[in-house]
Amino acid sequence: MKKLIPVLIFLLLAGCAQGNQDSLDDLYEAFERNHDSLQAEFSELMGEMEETEDREAKIRIIYEEALPKIEDLRRTIHNYTVTGTEHEQLKEEMLTYTNSLENLVELYGEFNRTFVNYNPLGASDFREEVDERLDEIESQEELVRQRYESIQEDYAQLTSESSS
């Protein structure tokens, strides 16, 4: 009986570790699936925005269609439970990425709103303001890209550690 207890403890711990990895895999697969879907939907929305000259329609697309889709991704991530510090950190990275993506879309909205409410004919600093906003958007795009790549790298590292 004394020899059986350590074996049972080992099997229990191994089963928990596998369950933790399965939860992480499920979260990552859901994140990627939803991310890919979001990218496709954003491509469609950008196409709609390019087709219309109506700035108000562009703003509606951003605030009424794009931002709610990001919130759906955030809710999906929140719905998964992972255990272990590294797994929880990856989940937090996903949420941080989602926040960065939301900030980027809001910058697009603010940029479009500026053109709606701004008269460039009377302002000499109009071009400077446009350039500053575009630089801010470009910087946020780079941050979003880096955070997404970081999630992929961290997940690959976690899965390679668990298979070792």
Side-chain angles (χ1 to χ4, degrees), residues 40-57:
E41 290 175 27
F42 277 7
S43 292
E44 284 180 33
L45 292 175
M46 288 300 184
E48 288 177 34
M49 288 177 64
E50 288 175 3
E51 290 174 8
T52 184
E53 294 295 321
D54 181 9
R55 295 267 185 220
E56 289 299 320

Side-chain angles (χ1 to χ4, degrees), residues 119-136:
N119 181 2
L121 299 177
S124 60
D125 61 342
F126 176 72
R127 188 71 211 157
E128 289 176 22
E129 185 177 338
V130 168
D131 289 342
E132 286 175 16
R133 293 212 183 232
L134 289 174
D135 288 344
E136 187 178 6

Side-chain angles (χ1 to χ4, degrees), residues 19-42:
N20 292 344
Q21 186 61 43
D22 289 346
S23 295
L24 180 68
D25 293 342
D26 291 345
L27 169 63
Y28 185 76
E29 289 169 12
F31 173 78
E32 281 295 322
R33 185 176 52 252
N34 283 283
H35 180 267
D36 291 345
S37 174
L38 191 64
Q39 292 291 3
E41 290 175 27
F42 277 7

Side-chain angles (χ1 to χ4, degrees), residues 28-145:
Y28 185 76
E29 289 169 12
F31 173 78
E32 281 295 322
R33 185 176 52 252
N34 283 283
H35 180 267
D36 291 345
S37 174
L38 191 64
Q39 292 291 3
E41 290 175 27
F42 277 7
S43 292
E44 284 180 33
L45 292 175
M46 288 300 184
E48 288 177 34
M49 288 177 64
E50 288 175 3
E51 290 174 8
T52 184
E53 294 295 321
D54 181 9
R55 295 267 185 220
E56 289 299 320
K58 290 180 182 190
I59 291 171
R60 272 192 305 279
I61 289 170
I62 290 169
Y63 288 101
E64 295 175 10
E65 294 183 45
L67 286 175
K69 292 179 187 316
I70 295 170
E71 184 57 33
D72 289 344
L73 176 59
R74 182 180 289 113
R75 262 189 253 115
T76 298
I77 295 167
H78 274 294
N79 285 338
Y80 282 87
T81 302
V82 293
T83 55
T85 305
E86 293 163 329
H87 295 185
E88 289 172 1
Q89 287 174 343
L90 184 62
K91 182 177 177 177
E92 283 302 313
E93 278 185 63
M94 291 175 181
L95 293 170
T96 300
Y97 166 80
T98 304
N99 293 339
S100 299
L101 186 59
E102 182 178 57
N103 290 341
L104 176 61
V105 171
E106 288 173 346
L107 285 172
Y108 288 142
E110 198 56 41
F111 185 78
N112 278 290
R113 182 174 281 136
T114 299
F115 280 112
V116 171
N117 297 324
Y118 199 79
N119 181 2
L121 299 177
S124 60
D125 61 342
F126 176 72
R127 188 71 211 157
E128 289 176 22
E129 185 177 338
V130 168
D131 289 342
E132 286 175 16
R133 293 212 183 232
L134 289 174
D135 288 344
E136 187 178 6
I137 288 170
E138 187 176 310
S139 175
Q140 188 68 23
E141 287 173 338
E142 180 61 20
L143 180 64
V144 167
R145 186 192 61 74

